[in-house]
Amino acid sequence: MFFVINKDKIYAYGISILTVILLFCVANIMVSENGEQIIPTSSANKLLPIYNVETKEKKVALTLNCAWNDSDIDKIIEVLEKNNCKVTFFMVGDWVEKYPKAAKKIKEAGHEIGSHSYSHPHVNNLTYEENSKEISKSVKVIKDITGYDVKLYRPPYGEYNNTVIKVANEMKYIPIQWSLDTLDYTNITGEEMWNRLKEKIKEGDIILMHNGAKHTADSLEMLIKNIKEKGYEIIPVSNLIHQENYTIDANGTQKVKK
């Protein structure tokens, strides 16, 4: 029996095999920006913020973005104190400059403070340097006025791209998104907010709210009580997330690195 070796076919098969191997490797690249955070993605090198946390503990983080006015801050602080809740306020730098007393009250009440940029721009349109300035300027304002050392960053409008996340990572601020949105900024009622949460809420969720929205302050106590009745503890973001030795999967879920 004789075998005819077709060199062209062997070459073609070899190229095909190498291509498959290369594509498999690219799809499983682990991107490390700060030596601790390693982000696996299903698309080429896409960097992600933390949307939620994989945990078996019945804990969720409640967050409030501060970008508009300060008219409801006293009420929000009062409700949080009454219900023994510590949460995370993501503050825009120029909001802190406009309402320094409100920012100080939040810090003095023992809540966590994160940066929400300085001027609330569309960060996807900014350069690396412009994104860096938005974070550094906001962090400085927060520190100068409240004395708080910021560790977390939430980009405005929920926007981000690789540049936005890379800047935050390289500046050593952990980028935070959310997994549940109350849509309070659309002026829906508290009952409507709860209807959005009650069937979806789970361990490790990060919940988004805003000060300055029509029904946030007067709905907050009801939302807190309903969340607690489901057995969840409400904590600040930094008490929920892993500070080191973690990965973020393609859905934005933070997990302990194994």
Side-chain angles (χ1 to χ4, degrees), residues 46-76:
K46 183 175 180 179
L47 306 182
L48 295 172
I50 297 170
Y51 281 77
N52 61 356
V53 177
E54 183 180 71
T55 178
K56 294 181 179 179
E57 296 182 323
K58 295 203 74 172
K59 296 180 179 181
V60 297
L62 182 60
T63 68
L64 292 101
N65 291 355
C66 299
W68 298 326
N69 57 62
D70 71 337
S71 60
D72 58 358
I73 290 296
D74 286 345
K75 177 65 174 178
I76 288 172

Side-chain angles (χ1 to χ4, degrees), residues 83-111:
N83 290 276
N84 193 29
C85 279
K86 301 299 182 188
V87 302
T88 304
F89 288 82
F90 285 95
M91 298 182 183
V92 175
D94 65 6
W95 182 89
V96 177
E97 289 178 331
K98 290 176 185 175
Y99 308 110
K101 290 183 180 179
K104 289 177 183 177
K105 286 179 181 179
I106 290 168
K107 192 263 185 181
E108 289 166 0
H111 299 289

Side-chain angles (χ1 to χ4, degrees), residues 150-209:
V150 170
K151 303 297 182 185
L152 307 178
Y153 174 59
R154 172 172 282 169
Y157 303 105
E159 293 180 354
Y160 63 89
N161 55 25
N162 276 13
T163 298
V164 173
I165 302 304
K166 184 177 182 181
V167 169
N169 286 341
E170 292 184 351
M171 294 180 72
K172 306 301 182 185
Y173 299 105
I174 302 174
I176 302 295
Q177 197 76 326
W178 60 85
S179 51
L180 292 177
D181 188 349
T182 61
L183 291 184
D184 58 347
Y185 60 91
T186 64
N187 295 329
I188 62 175
T189 66
E191 288 74 19
E192 290 172 316
M193 294 180 212
W194 178 239
N195 285 337
R196 290 184 51 79
L197 305 184
K198 64 182 180 181
E199 302 300 332
K200 298 177 182 178
I201 192 167
K202 64 184 184 303
E203 294 85 349
D205 273 329
I206 299 174
I207 302 168
L208 174 65
M209 299 190 76

Side-chain angles (χ1 to χ4, degrees), residues 62 75-87 111 217-229 232-235:
L62 182 60
K75 177 65 174 178
I76 288 172
I77 292 174
E78 177 187 337
V79 170
L80 293 172
E81 181 69 24
K82 178 181 176 182
N83 290 276
N84 193 29
C85 279
K86 301 299 182 188
V87 302
H111 299 289
D218 60 35
S219 301
L220 187 56
E221 185 163 25
M222 177 270 290
L223 293 172
I224 289 172
K225 287 182 176 179
N226 286 350
I227 292 169
K228 287 184 174 182
E229 284 177 2
Y232 294 98
E233 180 184 357
I234 298 171
I235 58 177

Side-chain angles (χ1 to χ4, degrees), residues 1 4 16 25 46 79-80 84 86-87 97-98 114 119 133 136-137 155 172 191-192 195 212 238-239 243 251 254:
M1 180 179 291
V4 178
S16 297
C25 291
K46 183 175 180 179
V79 170
L80 293 172
N84 193 29
K86 301 299 182 188
V87 302
E97 289 178 331
K98 290 176 185 175
S119 63
K133 186 176 180 181
S136 60
K137 193 173 181 180
K172 306 301 182 185
E191 288 74 19
E192 290 172 316
N195 285 337
S238 286
N239 291 3
Q243 301 293 328
N251 296 315
Q254 188 194 42

